[in-house]
Amino acid sequence: MYYSLRITLGKVFNLKSDEDITAEHRHMICYLLADIIREKIITNSNYVLGYEKTNKYGEPTHYHYHFNFESECEKETLRKWLTRTSEKKEYKLKGKEMYCFQQHNNVDDYGRWFRYCLKENYLKKLTRYVPDPGEPSLEELITLAKDERKRCIKSNCERREKINSKMSYFDKIVEQLEKEEFLTKKEIFIFITKYYVEDGKPVNPMTIKGYTTNYMLMKKLITYEQFYECNN
């Protein structure tokens, strides 16, 4: 069976910020992972430990480990073992903010599954990856992972910017609507349409309808019950 374990160090040790994470904190987690390797992992199987400091937008996030490995243990048995073993090391894994433990019955893309841990950095001493003949090496997986990471960050940032630009355009429309006195849906719809035309933007009836409804809900010109009745 395939398992993914994410551990967020600052949450585990109840630290105010990641700046308070020490070498001792990292070692305490690594000792737990070393115990997994020694006691719970299939002999000669692959396992990868990576650590990350940024999110999907390339921005700083909580320092955390990603550990992917194979084991013959059942998930619940392994989860209980993780909890007991961490307590023996004077900390406790409890709650989603501290850790996330997932089982995958099957992995469609074996190499890509391990690449997930290699997006930023990895710990060589807690990583073993010996590919089958013809499969990418660990070094090649690292290159692929970093390249995929760059492309994903670029795509995520572009998507977020697009969403934000739409929101800011709606904010501009609201700003102009606030200068007028509109009571009916028709008047609001026509005003937004004119705003689009005067701004040189293509008129999309569905977008204008959505903006009109949003504004009317914001200003309590219609209730959420009325909105439901109109659309169901």
Side-chain angles (χ1 to χ4, degrees):
M1 288 173 281
Y2 305 92
Y3 291 102
S4 296
L5 175 63
R6 188 199 72 229
I7 299 178
T8 305
L9 278 71
K11 299 296 182 180
V12 171
F13 298 109
N14 194 29
L15 304 176
K16 290 183 178 180
S17 74
D18 283 355
E19 294 180 359
D20 296 327
I21 296 174
T22 64
E24 182 180 359
H25 291 133
R26 291 192 290 269
H27 290 157
M28 290 173 73
I29 300 298
C30 287
Y31 292 150
L32 172 65
L33 300 178
D35 285 346
I36 296 176
I37 294 170
R38 183 174 60 256
E39 299 181 29
K40 300 298 180 181
I41 288 184
I42 301 170
T43 303
N44 295 327
S45 68
N46 296 318
Y47 49 88
V48 173
L49 174 62
Y51 61 93
E52 299 179 7
K53 299 180 180 181
T54 59
N55 61 18
K56 63 181 182 179
Y57 300 109
E59 300 165 343
T61 191
H62 296 296
Y63 183 96
H64 60 281
Y65 288 140
H66 283 293
F67 186 52
N68 283 6
F69 62 96
E70 298 174 59
S71 176
E72 294 179 342
C73 296
E74 293 296 327
K75 180 183 179 181
E76 190 58 22
T77 300
L78 191 49
R79 187 191 63 77
K80 290 179 179 178
W81 179 89
L82 281 168
T83 302
R84 290 195 304 269
T85 305
S86 66
E87 288 178 336
K88 291 177 183 178
K89 300 181 186 299
E90 300 182 351
Y91 60 88
K92 186 174 183 178
L93 297 180
K94 183 180 180 180
K96 292 183 179 180
E97 285 195 341
M98 290 187 185
Y99 85 115
C100 178
F101 182 54
Q102 295 179 308
Q103 176 187 342
H104 312 275
N105 294 325
N106 190 26
V107 174
D108 294 330
D109 190 332
Y110 188 73
R112 193 171 191 274
W113 183 60
F114 282 113
R115 290 207 314 267
Y116 184 81
C117 301
L118 301 168
K119 300 189 295 293
E120 287 189 34
N121 297 286
Y122 82 104
L123 294 181
K124 187 175 182 179
K125 64 180 180 180
L126 293 176
T127 293
R128 178 192 185 276
Y129 186 79
V130 181
D132 292 333
E135 293 296 318
S137 66
L138 178 63
E139 290 71 24
E140 289 172 324
L141 284 187
I142 292 171
T143 299
L144 289 169
K146 290 183 180 297
D147 178 66
E148 184 176 8
R149 176 71 160 182
K150 288 180 181 178
R151 287 186 283 107
C152 285
I153 287 175
K154 183 175 183 294
S155 175
N156 290 333
C157 288
E158 288 175 349
R159 188 179 299 111
R160 183 174 64 176
E161 184 178 347
K162 185 176 181 180
I163 292 172
N164 288 339
S165 66
K166 285 184 178 180
M167 291 177 62
S168 64
Y169 194 71
F170 177 64
D171 291 338
K172 291 177 182 177
I173 292 173
V174 170
E175 185 178 13
Q176 295 303 314
L177 282 167
E178 294 294 280
K179 298 176 182 178
E180 308 292 338
E181 291 186 5
F182 294 113
L183 296 176
T184 70
K185 182 176 182 179
K186 178 179 179 181
E187 289 174 326
I188 296 168
F189 189 95
I190 291 174
F191 180 90
I192 295 175
T193 303
K194 288 181 177 178
Y195 187 90
Y196 260 74
V197 172
E198 292 171 2
D199 201 28
K201 294 179 68 70
V203 176
N204 185 323
M206 293 306 296
T207 300
I208 294 173
K209 181 179 179 181
Y211 283 171
T212 300
T213 303
N214 273 12
Y215 182 74
M216 293 185 74
L217 286 168
M218 285 172 54
K219 304 303 291 184
K220 295 182 170 51
L221 297 175
I222 59 170
T223 65
Y224 287 98
E225 287 76 13
Q226 288 174 322
F227 174 70
Y228 173 82
E229 293 298 332
C230 289
N231 290 278
N232 292 277

